[in-house]
Amino acid sequence: MFRDNLQKMVERVDGAVAGILMGFDGISVETYARGAATPDVQTVGMEFAHVLTQVRRATEALEVGGLRELQVRADNLVVLVHVLNNEYFVACAIRPDANSGKARYLLRMLAPQIQSEL
Amino acid sequence: MFRDNLQKMVERVDGAVAGILMGFDGISVETYARGAATPDVQTVGMEFAHVLTQVRRATEALEVGGLRELQVRADNLVVLVHVLNNEYFVACAIRPDANSGKARYLLRMLAPQIQSEL
């Protein structure tokens, strides 16, 4: 069920390469990659689980409320993360020229669906 | 000169609370805060300098090219970061209901101006 949701999201954004539902501990629940994603979606997820933990610590230290979203733009990849709860996040990796606004919108739409099934 | 640029950026976005030009080592070059920013702009900058270093390590490990931008959305604050070079970044903190697209646009416009003066 999660895989269908991830696949639909990835396929609705031109230039999206992968979607992942993962725990903050770096263990993935489900992934979907379009074509041969480079780098591997699992590896991206694990790196971002680590980064998210650091960012969450920063937001806690700053007392600015719960962490909701993270976006990282590098030269060859953009990663959008939507935090579901204290344990899980869903993320979408897109090419830099893809529509990040649409990807963010679809992540926001997807989040409550996944939350209701977690 | 940097302060004028930061101030102009912050004042052009309704809901923007602060701008900062900072080194990845957490030492700020210049800051501008509109009103009494909570949390303190210096503290936010330092936390983000640390986070950015972690994110840069992740992008290097993933070999996805140089880190360009970072956006973090928490319940009570959104922080947008634009990386200038290996040493410096410029960031804008806005309220969650502010126009993050405009803030990102203004950061992108500001970046080459600051880079030419660094």
Side-chain angles (χ1 to χ4, degrees):
Chain A
M1 51 189 179
F2 295 134
R3 194 168 194 280
D4 282 355
N5 286 332
L6 292 173
Q7 180 170 355
K8 268 183 214 155
M9 173 183 70
V10 170
E11 289 181 346
R12 282 182 69 186
V13 182
D14 288 340
V17 291
I20 191 165
L21 168 61
M22 187 174 240
F24 276 87
D25 57 4
I27 297 172
S28 69
V29 178
E30 194 57 272
T31 63
Y32 173 78
R34 179 151 62 176
T38 310
D40 164 69
V41 56
Q42 202 74 241
T43 313
V44 175
M46 284 171 65
E47 287 289 346
F48 272 82
H50 177 69
V51 159
L52 271 172
T53 302
Q54 303 289 327
V55 175
R56 194 156 62 171
R57 272 185 209 153
T59 55
E60 282 167 3
L62 296 170
E63 298 178 343
V64 291
L67 175 61
R68 296 296 162 206
E69 292 176 356
L70 174 78
Q71 270 187 50
V72 172
R73 178 172 291 271
D75 281 335
N76 304 321
L77 195 72
V78 175
V79 178
L80 299 98
V81 177
H82 192 100
V83 175
L84 298 171
N85 54 35
N86 282 338
E87 290 177 86
Y88 296 101
F89 64 89
V90 59
C92 185
I94 64 176
R95 287 200 303 263
D97 57 347
N99 186 339
S100 61
K102 188 172 180 186
R104 187 182 69 164
Y105 168 78
L106 291 173
L107 272 177
R108 286 180 180 178
M109 293 299 105
L110 180 60
Q113 294 172 37
I114 290 184
Q115 271 167 325
S116 69
E117 294 177 9
L118 271 176
Chain B
M1 49 190 180
F2 294 133
R3 195 169 192 280
D4 282 355
N5 286 332
L6 291 174
Q7 180 169 355
K8 268 183 214 156
M9 174 182 69
V10 170
E11 289 180 347
R12 283 182 68 186
V13 182
D14 288 340
V17 292
I20 192 165
L21 168 61
M22 187 174 240
F24 276 86
D25 57 5
I27 296 171
S28 70
V29 178
E30 194 59 91
T31 63
Y32 173 77
R34 180 152 60 176
T38 309
D40 164 69
V41 57
Q42 203 72 241
T43 313
V44 176
M46 283 170 65
E47 288 289 347
F48 273 81
H50 177 68
V51 159
L52 271 172
T53 303
Q54 303 288 326
V55 176
R56 193 157 62 173
R57 272 184 209 154
T59 55
E60 282 168 3
L62 296 170
E63 298 179 341
V64 291
L67 175 62
R68 296 296 161 207
E69 292 176 357
L70 174 78
Q71 271 187 49
V72 172
R73 178 172 292 270
D75 279 335
N76 304 321
L77 195 71
V78 176
V79 178
L80 300 97
V81 176
H82 193 100
V83 174
L84 297 171
N85 54 36
N86 282 338
E87 288 177 87
Y88 296 101
F89 64 89
V90 60
C92 185
I94 64 176
R95 288 199 303 262
D97 57 347
N99 186 339
S100 61
K102 188 172 180 185
R104 187 182 70 165
Y105 168 78
L106 291 173
L107 272 177
R108 286 180 178 177
M109 294 297 106
L110 180 60
Q113 294 172 37
I114 290 184
Q115 271 167 325
S116 69
E117 292 177 11
L118 272 175

